[in-house]
Amino acid sequence: MSVEKKIKRVTVPSIINMKRNGEPIAMLTAYDALMSEILDRSGIDIILVGDSGGMVMGGHENTLAVTMDEMIIYTKSVRRGVNRALLVADMPFLSYQCSESEAIRNAGRFLQEAGVEAVKLEGGKAVAGLIRKLVQYGIPVMGHLGLTPQSIHQFGGYGVRGKDSMLASQLKEEALLLQDAGVFSLVLEKIPAALAEAISMSLQIPTIGIGAGKGCDGQVLVSHDMLGLYEKFKPKFVRRYAELGKEMMAAFVHYIEDVKSKKFPNEDESY
Ligand code: KIV
Protein backbone atom coordinates (compact mmCIF):
# COMPACT_ATOMS: atom_id res chain seq x y z
CA MET A 1 0.00 0.00 0.00
CA SER A 2 1.25 3.48 -0.84
CA VAL A 3 2.45 5.51 2.13
CA GLU A 4 1.86 8.72 0.22
CA LYS A 5 -0.75 10.95 1.86
CA LYS A 6 -3.80 11.27 -0.39
CA ILE A 7 -4.47 14.88 -1.36
CA LYS A 8 -7.92 16.10 -0.36
CA ARG A 9 -9.12 17.89 -3.46
CA VAL A 10 -11.38 20.92 -3.34
CA THR A 11 -14.67 20.16 -5.12
CA VAL A 12 -17.80 22.08 -6.08
CA PRO A 13 -19.75 20.62 -3.10
CA SER A 14 -16.86 21.37 -0.72
CA ILE A 15 -16.93 25.03 -1.82
CA ILE A 16 -20.67 25.22 -1.05
CA ASN A 17 -20.01 23.54 2.32
CA MET A 18 -17.41 26.18 3.18
CA LYS A 19 -20.21 28.75 3.24
CA ARG A 20 -22.35 26.48 5.44
CA ASN A 21 -19.40 26.07 7.83
CA GLY A 22 -18.58 29.80 7.81
CA GLU A 23 -15.12 29.20 6.31
CA PRO A 24 -14.00 32.05 4.02
CA ILE A 25 -13.04 31.02 0.46
CA ALA A 26 -9.73 32.25 -1.00
CA MET A 27 -9.47 32.46 -4.79
CA LEU A 28 -6.68 33.82 -7.03
CA THR A 29 -5.96 33.76 -10.75
CA ALA A 30 -3.30 31.91 -12.76
CA TYR A 31 -2.52 31.63 -16.46
CA ASP A 32 0.47 29.27 -16.53
CA ALA A 33 1.79 26.11 -14.89
CA LEU A 34 4.58 27.78 -12.92
CA MET A 35 2.21 30.16 -11.12
CA SER A 36 -0.53 27.57 -10.62
CA GLU A 37 1.91 25.06 -9.11
CA ILE A 38 3.02 27.59 -6.46
CA LEU A 39 -0.56 28.72 -5.87
CA ASP A 40 -1.78 25.15 -5.43
CA ARG A 41 0.96 24.42 -2.88
CA SER A 42 0.04 27.61 -0.98
CA GLY A 43 -3.32 26.06 -0.03
CA ILE A 44 -5.54 28.31 -2.17
CA ASP A 45 -9.14 27.02 -2.46
CA ILE A 46 -9.95 28.03 -6.05
CA ILE A 47 -7.70 28.89 -8.99
CA LEU A 48 -9.40 30.93 -11.69
CA VAL A 49 -8.02 31.14 -15.20
CA GLY A 50 -9.55 34.59 -15.66
CA ASP A 51 -10.10 36.33 -18.95
CA SER A 52 -7.93 38.95 -17.21
CA GLY A 53 -5.21 36.77 -18.81
CA GLY A 54 -5.91 38.76 -21.97
CA MET A 55 -4.55 41.80 -20.13
CA VAL A 56 -1.79 40.43 -17.92
CA MET A 57 -0.50 37.77 -20.34
CA GLY A 58 -1.69 39.09 -23.71
CA GLY A 59 -0.97 42.77 -23.05
CA HIS A 60 -4.45 43.85 -24.20
CA GLU A 61 -6.11 46.97 -22.80
CA ASN A 62 -9.18 45.10 -21.54
CA THR A 63 -10.56 41.54 -21.33
CA LEU A 64 -12.50 41.65 -24.62
CA ALA A 65 -9.72 40.55 -26.95
CA VAL A 66 -8.81 37.19 -25.44
CA THR A 67 -10.15 34.27 -27.50
CA MET A 68 -11.47 30.83 -26.64
CA ASP A 69 -8.38 29.17 -28.14
CA GLU A 70 -6.03 31.37 -26.11
CA MET A 71 -8.00 30.62 -22.93
CA ILE A 72 -7.74 26.89 -23.64
CA ILE A 73 -3.94 27.20 -23.95
CA TYR A 74 -3.67 29.15 -20.66
CA THR A 75 -6.01 26.70 -18.92
CA LYS A 76 -4.21 23.54 -20.09
CA SER A 77 -0.98 25.00 -18.79
CA VAL A 78 -2.54 25.92 -15.42
CA ARG A 79 -4.08 22.42 -15.10
CA ARG A 80 -0.57 20.88 -15.17
CA GLY A 81 0.30 22.73 -11.96
CA VAL A 82 -2.86 21.99 -9.98
CA ASN A 83 -3.40 18.92 -7.77
CA ARG A 84 -5.66 20.15 -5.01
CA ALA A 85 -7.46 23.45 -5.70
CA LEU A 86 -10.72 23.71 -7.62
CA LEU A 87 -9.92 24.86 -11.16
CA VAL A 88 -12.33 27.28 -12.83
CA ALA A 89 -11.98 28.80 -16.33
CA ASP A 90 -13.51 32.07 -17.45
CA MET A 91 -15.60 31.92 -20.61
CA PRO A 92 -14.23 34.73 -22.79
CA PHE A 93 -16.26 37.37 -24.63
CA LEU A 94 -18.24 35.87 -27.57
CA SER A 95 -17.72 32.29 -26.40
CA TYR A 96 -21.24 32.11 -24.90
CA GLN A 97 -23.22 35.03 -26.33
CA CYS A 98 -23.78 33.89 -29.94
CA SER A 99 -25.82 30.74 -29.51
CA GLU A 100 -26.68 28.25 -26.82
CA SER A 101 -25.14 25.32 -28.67
CA GLU A 102 -21.87 27.17 -29.20
CA ALA A 103 -21.85 28.15 -25.52
CA ILE A 104 -22.39 24.54 -24.40
CA ARG A 105 -19.62 23.35 -26.75
CA ASN A 106 -17.20 26.01 -25.52
CA ALA A 107 -17.95 25.34 -21.84
CA GLY A 108 -17.53 21.62 -22.56
CA ARG A 109 -14.16 22.25 -24.21
CA PHE A 110 -12.85 23.65 -20.93
CA LEU A 111 -13.84 20.42 -19.15
CA GLN A 112 -12.86 18.01 -21.93
CA GLU A 113 -9.67 19.59 -23.31
CA ALA A 114 -8.36 21.56 -20.33
CA GLY A 115 -9.64 19.50 -17.40
CA VAL A 116 -11.34 22.23 -15.36
CA GLU A 117 -13.99 21.48 -12.77
CA ALA A 118 -16.15 24.52 -13.56
CA VAL A 119 -16.57 27.54 -15.80
CA LYS A 120 -17.36 31.16 -14.95
CA LEU A 121 -19.43 33.50 -17.03
CA GLU A 122 -20.60 37.09 -16.67
CA GLY A 123 -24.15 38.36 -16.53
CA GLY A 124 -27.56 38.02 -14.88
CA LYS A 125 -30.98 37.62 -16.46
CA ALA A 126 -29.54 37.37 -20.00
CA VAL A 127 -27.51 34.24 -19.16
CA ALA A 128 -29.75 32.55 -16.55
CA GLY A 129 -31.35 30.20 -19.11
CA LEU A 130 -27.96 29.19 -20.50
CA ILE A 131 -26.60 28.57 -17.01
CA ARG A 132 -29.58 26.31 -16.23
CA LYS A 133 -28.78 24.26 -19.37
CA LEU A 134 -25.04 23.99 -18.60
CA VAL A 135 -25.76 22.83 -15.06
CA GLN A 136 -28.30 20.29 -16.35
CA TYR A 137 -25.56 18.90 -18.60
CA GLY A 138 -23.21 18.52 -15.64
CA ILE A 139 -21.09 21.63 -16.17
CA PRO A 140 -20.74 23.52 -12.88
CA VAL A 141 -21.00 27.30 -13.31
CA MET A 142 -19.73 30.22 -11.24
CA GLY A 143 -21.70 33.43 -11.88
CA HIS A 144 -20.32 36.98 -12.05
CA LEU A 145 -22.36 40.14 -11.32
CA GLY A 146 -21.66 43.80 -10.64
CA LEU A 147 -18.82 45.25 -12.67
CA THR A 148 -18.65 42.69 -15.47
CA PRO A 149 -15.59 43.75 -17.49
CA GLN A 150 -16.85 42.22 -20.76
CA SER A 151 -19.56 44.95 -20.76
CA ILE A 152 -17.08 47.75 -20.16
CA HIS A 153 -18.10 49.74 -23.23
CA GLN A 154 -21.73 49.66 -22.16
CA PHE A 155 -20.81 50.91 -18.66
CA GLY A 156 -18.38 53.49 -20.09
CA GLY A 157 -15.73 52.80 -17.42
CA TYR A 158 -14.68 50.77 -14.39
CA GLY A 159 -16.81 52.67 -11.81
CA VAL A 160 -18.58 51.06 -8.84
CA ARG A 161 -21.85 49.35 -9.86
CA GLY A 162 -25.06 49.26 -7.81
CA LYS A 163 -24.71 52.59 -6.02
CA ASP A 164 -28.24 53.67 -7.00
CA SER A 165 -31.17 51.82 -5.52
CA MET A 166 -32.61 50.66 -8.85
CA LEU A 167 -29.43 48.90 -9.93
CA ALA A 168 -28.93 47.59 -6.40
CA SER A 169 -32.39 45.94 -6.45
CA GLN A 170 -31.68 44.55 -9.92
CA LEU A 171 -28.42 43.00 -8.71
CA LYS A 172 -30.20 41.44 -5.71
CA GLU A 173 -32.84 39.94 -8.01
CA GLU A 174 -30.28 38.69 -10.50
CA ALA A 175 -28.24 37.03 -7.75
CA LEU A 176 -31.33 35.04 -6.69
CA LEU A 177 -32.08 34.26 -10.33
CA LEU A 178 -28.57 32.88 -10.88
CA GLN A 179 -28.79 30.81 -7.69
CA ASP A 180 -32.09 29.41 -8.96
CA ALA A 181 -30.46 28.65 -12.33
CA GLY A 182 -27.88 26.53 -10.50
CA VAL A 183 -24.63 28.49 -10.06
CA PHE A 184 -22.52 27.00 -7.26
CA SER A 185 -20.95 30.36 -6.38
CA LEU A 186 -21.11 33.96 -7.48
CA VAL A 187 -18.40 36.57 -8.03
CA LEU A 188 -19.49 40.08 -7.00
CA GLU A 189 -17.22 42.70 -8.51
CA LYS A 190 -16.89 46.34 -7.45
CA ILE A 191 -20.24 46.92 -5.74
CA PRO A 192 -20.88 48.67 -2.39
CA ALA A 193 -19.91 46.53 0.62
CA ALA A 194 -23.39 46.80 2.20
CA LEU A 195 -25.05 45.58 -1.00
CA ALA A 196 -22.60 42.67 -1.34
CA GLU A 197 -23.26 41.69 2.27
CA ALA A 198 -27.04 41.81 1.76
CA ILE A 199 -26.74 39.66 -1.39
CA SER A 200 -24.43 37.19 0.40
CA MET A 201 -26.90 36.84 3.27
CA SER A 202 -29.79 36.24 0.88
CA LEU A 203 -28.06 33.32 -0.87
CA GLN A 204 -27.35 29.67 0.05
CA ILE A 205 -24.40 29.58 -2.34
CA PRO A 206 -21.14 31.43 -1.56
CA THR A 207 -20.33 34.87 -2.96
CA ILE A 208 -16.74 35.70 -3.81
CA GLY A 209 -15.99 39.39 -3.74
CA ILE A 210 -13.52 41.58 -5.60
CA GLY A 211 -13.86 45.18 -4.50
CA ALA A 212 -17.10 44.19 -2.75
CA GLY A 213 -16.10 44.41 0.93
CA LYS A 214 -15.70 41.84 3.65
CA GLY A 215 -19.34 40.72 3.84
CA CYS A 216 -18.78 38.25 0.98
CA ASP A 217 -18.18 34.55 1.67
CA GLY A 218 -14.81 34.66 -0.08
CA GLN A 219 -12.39 36.97 -1.86
CA VAL A 220 -10.64 36.93 -5.22
CA LEU A 221 -7.83 39.05 -6.66
CA VAL A 222 -5.86 38.88 -9.88
CA SER A 223 -2.55 37.32 -8.78
CA HIS A 224 -0.48 39.68 -10.92
CA ASP A 225 -2.16 42.65 -9.16
CA MET A 226 -1.59 41.40 -5.60
CA LEU A 227 2.00 40.41 -6.41
CA GLY A 228 2.79 43.88 -7.79
CA LEU A 229 3.57 42.41 -11.21
CA TYR A 230 0.87 44.29 -13.12
CA GLU A 231 1.81 47.90 -12.60
CA LYS A 232 -0.25 49.72 -15.26
CA PHE A 233 -2.93 50.65 -12.74
CA LYS A 234 -3.92 49.67 -9.21
CA PRO A 235 -7.59 49.75 -8.25
CA LYS A 236 -8.33 50.77 -4.63
CA PHE A 237 -9.51 47.22 -3.81
CA VAL A 238 -6.13 45.64 -4.63
CA ARG A 239 -3.85 44.96 -1.67
CA ARG A 240 -0.27 44.43 -2.79
CA TYR A 241 1.23 41.48 -0.91
CA ALA A 242 4.54 41.77 -2.78
CA GLU A 243 6.34 44.13 -5.16
CA LEU A 244 7.62 41.53 -7.61
CA GLY A 245 7.60 43.94 -10.56
CA LYS A 246 10.11 46.16 -8.76
CA GLU A 247 12.19 43.15 -7.65
CA MET A 248 12.30 41.83 -11.21
CA MET A 249 13.41 45.19 -12.56
CA ALA A 250 16.20 45.39 -9.96
CA ALA A 251 17.33 41.83 -10.80
CA PHE A 252 17.35 42.52 -14.57
CA VAL A 253 19.30 45.77 -14.12
CA HIS A 254 21.79 44.01 -11.81
CA TYR A 255 22.28 41.20 -14.35
CA ILE A 256 22.88 43.67 -17.20
CA GLU A 257 25.46 45.53 -15.07
CA ASP A 258 27.21 42.24 -14.24
CA VAL A 259 27.33 41.17 -17.91
CA LYS A 260 28.60 44.56 -19.07
CA SER A 261 31.27 44.69 -16.34
CA LYS A 262 32.20 41.00 -16.89
CA LYS A 263 31.27 40.09 -13.27
CA PHE A 264 28.99 37.35 -14.62
CA PRO A 265 29.74 34.47 -14.99
CA ASN A 266 32.43 33.78 -12.38
CA GLU A 267 34.55 30.63 -12.03
CA ASP A 268 31.92 28.75 -9.97
CA GLU A 269 29.42 29.39 -12.72
CA SER A 270 31.77 28.09 -15.43
CA TYR A 271 32.90 24.59 -16.55
O1 KIV B 1 -10.89 37.66 -15.19
C1 KIV B 1 -10.72 37.63 -13.97
O2 KIV B 1 -9.59 37.51 -13.46
C2 KIV B 1 -11.90 37.72 -13.12
C3 KIV B 1 -11.70 37.89 -11.66
C4 KIV B 1 -11.12 39.19 -11.35
C5 KIV B 1 -12.94 37.64 -10.89
O3 KIV B 1 -13.00 37.65 -13.61
Side-chain angles (χ1 to χ4, degrees):
M1 205 175 80
S2 165
V3 285
E4 260 178 57
K5 222 173 137 201
K6 206 161 179 287
I7 297 165
K8 196 163 181 331
R9 299 187 78 117
V10 182
T11 62
V12 164
S14 67
I15 290 295
I16 298 171
N17 270 331
M18 286 173 79
K19 170 157 182 150
R20 293 194 185 129
N21 299 332
E23 187 187 340
I25 298 159
M27 172 161 120
L28 283 168
T29 63
Y31 317 97
D32 61 70
L34 183 82
M35 181 81 89
S36 68
E37 200 265 330
I38 300 172
L39 255 182
D40 197 54
R41 280 194 285 119
S42 75
I44 198 80
D45 300 308
I46 305 177
I47 297 178
L48 171 70
V49 187
D51 59 358
S52 49
M55 296 171 75
V56 296
M57 302 298 283
H60 296 290
E61 198 181 307
N62 54 45
T63 61
L64 295 170
V66 71
T67 65
M68 189 61 209
D69 287 340
E70 285 168 331
M71 286 297 293
I72 289 280
I73 292 170
Y74 296 151
T75 311
K76 279 181 168 176
S77 175
V78 168
R79 175 76 273 170
R80 292 181 203 117
V82 182
N83 285 312
R84 194 196 66 87
L86 187 83
L87 182 57
V88 181
D90 233 349
M91 296 201 62
F93 182 58
L94 288 191
S95 69
Y96 57 98
Q97 291 91 342
C98 300
S99 76
E100 198 173 85
S101 61
E102 206 181 326
I104 295 167
R105 181 164 301 282
N106 282 329
R109 281 187 70 192
F110 278 119
L111 274 75
Q112 191 172 54
E113 295 175 34
V116 304
E117 279 96 24
V119 297
K120 173 167 90 56
L121 56 93
E122 296 182 5
K125 202 170 169 198
V127 291
L130 169 65
I131 290 174
R132 195 177 291 281
K133 270 272 159 63
L134 292 171
V135 174
Q136 277 167 359
Y137 291 135
I139 301 175
V141 180
M142 176 182 279
H144 187 156
L145 287 176
L147 176 69
T148 44
Q150 290 176 17
S151 304
I152 197 62
H153 295 312
Q154 205 157 29
F155 301 152
Y158 290 93
V160 179
R161 305 284 298 158
K163 280 209 271 197
D164 61 284
S165 60
M166 224 167 81
L167 194 52
S169 326
Q170 188 189 322
L171 286 170
K172 282 183 189 166
E173 275 170 32
E174 290 194 312
L176 288 168
L177 199 66
L178 292 188
Q179 172 175 263
D180 188 53
V183 297
F184 73 96
S185 58
L186 177 62
V187 168
L188 295 175
E189 179 161 353
K190 217 168 175 189
I191 63 171
L195 174 61
E197 187 168 8
I199 292 176
S200 304
M201 281 168 60
S202 74
L203 299 177
Q204 315 275 297
I205 51 142
T207 58
I208 302 178
I210 172 161
K214 61 180 176 187
C216 295
D217 303 299
Q219 298 293 329
V220 56
L221 285 175
V222 169
S223 293
H224 291 61
D225 286 343
M226 58 86 81
L227 292 173
L229 273 171
Y230 190 79
E231 295 177 300
K232 282 190 191 150
F233 61 86
K234 183 194 154 313
K236 166 177 150 150
F237 61 75
V238 171
R239 186 181 293 180
R240 287 233 172 115
Y241 285 83
E243 291 292 350
L244 296 193
K246 290 189 176 59
E247 282 210 36
M248 282 169 73
M249 180 61 85
F252 295 150
V253 168
H254 195 169
Y255 168 77
I256 294 164
E257 279 168 8
D258 283 356
V259 170
K260 302 277 179 193
S261 60
K262 294 214 162 248
K263 283 189 191 147
F264 176 81
N266 62 22
E267 268 181 33
D268 289 346
E269 291 152 344
S270 306
Y271 299 96

XYZ file of all heavy atoms in Angstrom, residues 30-68:
279
model
N -4.568 32.389 -12.174
C -3.303 31.913 -12.759
C -3.520 31.710 -14.253
O -4.670 31.491 -14.696
C -2.858 30.616 -12.101
N -2.425 31.780 -14.996
C -2.525 31.631 -16.456
C -1.448 30.691 -16.991
O -1.341 30.500 -18.195
C -2.400 33.011 -17.143
C -3.193 34.076 -16.421
C -2.568 34.924 -15.498
C -4.565 34.186 -16.604
C -3.291 35.864 -14.792
C -5.300 35.128 -15.899
C -4.648 35.957 -14.990
O -5.373 36.883 -14.280
N -0.597 30.170 -16.094
C 0.473 29.268 -16.534
C 0.801 28.271 -15.428
O 0.409 28.460 -14.273
C 1.732 30.059 -16.942
C 2.293 30.854 -15.784
O 2.817 30.239 -14.846
O 2.198 32.092 -15.806
N 1.531 27.227 -15.807
C 1.793 26.112 -14.893
C 2.689 26.509 -13.720
O 2.506 26.025 -12.605
C 2.430 24.957 -15.667
N 3.654 27.381 -13.978
C 4.582 27.780 -12.920
C 3.824 28.463 -11.770
O 3.968 28.099 -10.604
C 5.628 28.744 -13.504
C 6.702 29.191 -12.535
C 7.792 28.141 -12.427
C 7.312 30.511 -12.971
N 2.997 29.434 -12.133
C 2.215 30.165 -11.120
C 1.206 29.239 -10.441
O 1.033 29.284 -9.224
C 1.492 31.336 -11.796
C 0.670 32.185 -10.862
S 1.660 33.368 -9.966
C 1.647 34.766 -11.087
N 0.532 28.390 -11.211
C -0.535 27.565 -10.617
C 0.054 26.512 -9.686
O -0.556 26.147 -8.676
C -1.402 26.908 -11.689
O -0.703 25.939 -12.402
N 1.273 26.065 -9.971
C 1.909 25.060 -9.107
C 2.218 25.676 -7.740
O 1.961 25.077 -6.696
C 3.171 24.533 -9.811
C 3.668 23.193 -9.297
C 4.744 23.369 -8.250
O 5.483 24.367 -8.321
O 4.817 22.513 -7.351
N 2.727 26.897 -7.736
C 3.022 27.585 -6.463
C 1.716 27.893 -5.723
O 1.593 27.671 -4.514
C 3.829 28.883 -6.706
C 5.161 28.571 -7.386
C 4.078 29.625 -5.390
C 5.944 29.807 -7.846
N 0.739 28.387 -6.480
C -0.563 28.720 -5.872
C -1.198 27.490 -5.222
O -1.697 27.552 -4.105
C -1.514 29.194 -6.968
C -1.826 30.666 -7.075
C -2.812 30.920 -8.191
C -2.368 31.205 -5.766
N -1.165 26.383 -5.937
C -1.782 25.146 -5.429
C -1.111 24.716 -4.127
O -1.777 24.356 -3.167
C -1.658 24.047 -6.495
C -2.607 22.894 -6.239
O -3.819 23.142 -6.099
O -2.139 21.739 -6.143
N 0.233 24.819 -4.096
C 0.962 24.422 -2.877
C 0.691 25.378 -1.725
O 0.840 25.016 -0.565
C 2.468 24.353 -3.167
C 2.872 23.056 -3.859
C 4.371 22.854 -3.839
N 5.058 23.716 -4.784
C 5.973 24.633 -4.469
N 6.329 24.819 -3.225
N 6.551 25.359 -5.409
N 0.283 26.621 -2.040
C 0.038 27.607 -0.976
C -1.221 27.283 -0.169
O -1.430 27.829 0.900
C -0.112 29.011 -1.589
O -1.381 29.137 -2.223
N -2.085 26.420 -0.733
C -3.322 26.060 -0.028
C -4.534 26.858 -0.494
O -5.576 26.848 0.169
N -4.418 27.528 -1.628
C -5.542 28.307 -2.166
C -6.733 27.371 -2.449
O -6.530 26.214 -2.825
C -5.094 29.061 -3.453
C -6.042 30.198 -3.819
C -4.954 28.100 -4.638
C -5.816 31.432 -3.018
N -7.956 27.878 -2.257
C -9.139 27.018 -2.460
C -9.512 26.896 -3.943
O -9.798 25.809 -4.424
C -10.346 27.589 -1.693
C -10.080 27.665 -0.201
O -9.685 26.624 0.359
O -10.237 28.744 0.390
N -9.537 28.045 -4.634
C -9.954 28.034 -6.051
C -8.918 28.782 -6.885
O -8.462 29.874 -6.505
C -11.328 28.726 -6.258
C -12.403 28.103 -5.355
C -11.759 28.646 -7.720
C -13.786 28.793 -5.465
N -8.551 28.187 -8.017
C -7.700 28.891 -8.991
C -8.576 29.212 -10.192
O -9.206 28.316 -10.766
C -6.471 28.041 -9.392
C -5.580 27.803 -8.161
C -5.696 28.731 -10.516
C -4.356 26.941 -8.415
N -8.607 30.491 -10.545
C -9.395 30.933 -11.694
C -8.460 31.288 -12.842
O -7.533 32.087 -12.660
C -10.216 32.182 -11.314
C -10.926 32.887 -12.477
C -12.081 32.047 -13.011
C -11.428 34.267 -12.053
N -8.703 30.678 -13.997
C -8.017 31.145 -15.202
C -8.920 32.242 -15.752
O -9.884 31.976 -16.475
C -7.812 30.008 -16.226
C -6.949 30.507 -17.374
C -7.198 28.787 -15.575
N -8.668 33.472 -15.315
C -9.550 34.589 -15.660
C -9.302 35.066 -17.085
O -8.204 34.892 -17.632
N -10.336 35.705 -17.653
C -10.102 36.334 -18.955
C -9.222 37.586 -18.774
O -8.787 38.205 -19.744
C -11.414 36.636 -19.699
C -12.350 37.549 -18.930
O -12.018 37.943 -17.796
O -13.426 37.880 -19.482
N -8.939 37.925 -17.500
C -7.929 38.953 -17.209
C -6.579 38.543 -17.795
O -5.693 39.379 -17.962
C -7.801 39.152 -15.694
O -7.667 37.906 -15.036
N -6.423 37.263 -18.129
C -5.208 36.772 -18.807
C -4.966 37.534 -20.107
O -3.816 37.713 -20.524
N -6.062 37.973 -20.744
C -5.911 38.758 -21.972
C -5.127 40.042 -21.710
O -4.389 40.517 -22.576
N -5.277 40.576 -20.481
C -4.547 41.801 -20.133
C -3.156 41.477 -19.593
O -2.164 41.973 -20.103
C -5.342 42.595 -19.084
C -6.674 43.087 -19.600
S -7.732 43.794 -18.325
C -6.939 45.374 -18.058
N -3.095 40.618 -18.566
C -1.790 40.426 -17.916
C -0.844 39.553 -18.744
O 0.361 39.744 -18.691
C -1.926 39.862 -16.482
C -2.640 40.825 -15.575
C -2.600 38.522 -16.438
N -1.370 38.617 -19.517
C -0.500 37.770 -20.338
C -0.438 38.310 -21.768
O 0.623 38.347 -22.377
C -1.007 36.319 -20.379
C -1.126 35.663 -19.039
S 0.446 35.531 -18.185
C 1.179 34.160 -19.050
N -1.612 38.689 -22.303
C -1.689 39.088 -23.709
C -1.340 40.544 -23.958
O -1.123 40.932 -25.108
N -1.322 41.360 -22.887
C -0.969 42.769 -23.054
C -2.091 43.609 -23.638
O -1.860 44.741 -24.059
N -3.337 43.062 -23.664
C -4.453 43.852 -24.199
C -4.919 44.875 -23.157
O -4.689 44.712 -21.959
C -5.620 42.934 -24.571
C -5.297 41.983 -25.683
N -5.110 42.406 -26.977
C -5.117 40.636 -25.685
C -4.822 41.351 -27.740
N -4.817 40.272 -26.983
N -5.652 45.868 -23.651
C -6.105 46.965 -22.801
C -7.260 46.548 -21.884
O -7.469 47.105 -20.821
C -6.585 48.068 -23.755
C -6.698 49.430 -23.169
C -7.204 50.385 -24.241
O -6.585 50.413 -25.337
O -8.196 51.056 -23.991
N -8.054 45.591 -22.345
C -9.184 45.100 -21.540
C -9.350 43.597 -21.789
O -8.523 42.994 -22.487
C -10.471 45.891 -21.857
C -10.780 45.872 -23.346
O -10.710 44.828 -23.982
N -11.096 47.024 -23.907
N -10.426 43.015 -21.238
C -10.564 41.544 -21.334
C -11.257 41.087 -22.620
O -11.396 39.880 -22.843
C -11.379 41.000 -20.134
O -12.684 41.578 -20.151
C -10.705 41.313 -18.816
N -11.670 42.031 -23.466
C -12.504 41.654 -24.618
C -11.753 40.890 -25.709
O -12.353 40.127 -26.461
C -13.141 42.907 -25.228
C -14.143 43.620 -24.310
C -14.543 44.964 -24.882
C -15.366 42.766 -24.097
N -10.457 41.084 -25.799
C -9.718 40.551 -26.955
C -9.321 39.077 -26.819
O -9.035 38.415 -27.823
C -8.460 41.388 -27.184
N -9.311 38.564 -25.598
C -8.808 37.192 -25.436
C -9.802 36.198 -26.052
O -11.019 36.354 -25.932
C -8.492 36.876 -23.945
C -9.744 36.741 -23.110
C -7.631 35.639 -23.813
N -9.272 35.192 -26.766
C -10.146 34.267 -27.498
C -10.280 32.942 -26.745
O -9.500 32.644 -25.835
C -9.556 33.963 -28.893
O -8.313 33.262 -28.696
C -9.324 35.221 -29.705
N -11.232 32.155 -27.205
C -11.473 30.829 -26.638
C -10.200 29.966 -26.754
O -9.799 29.296 -25.803
C -12.652 30.214 -27.418
C -13.199 28.951 -26.880
S -13.852 29.110 -25.207
C -13.576 27.460 -24.649
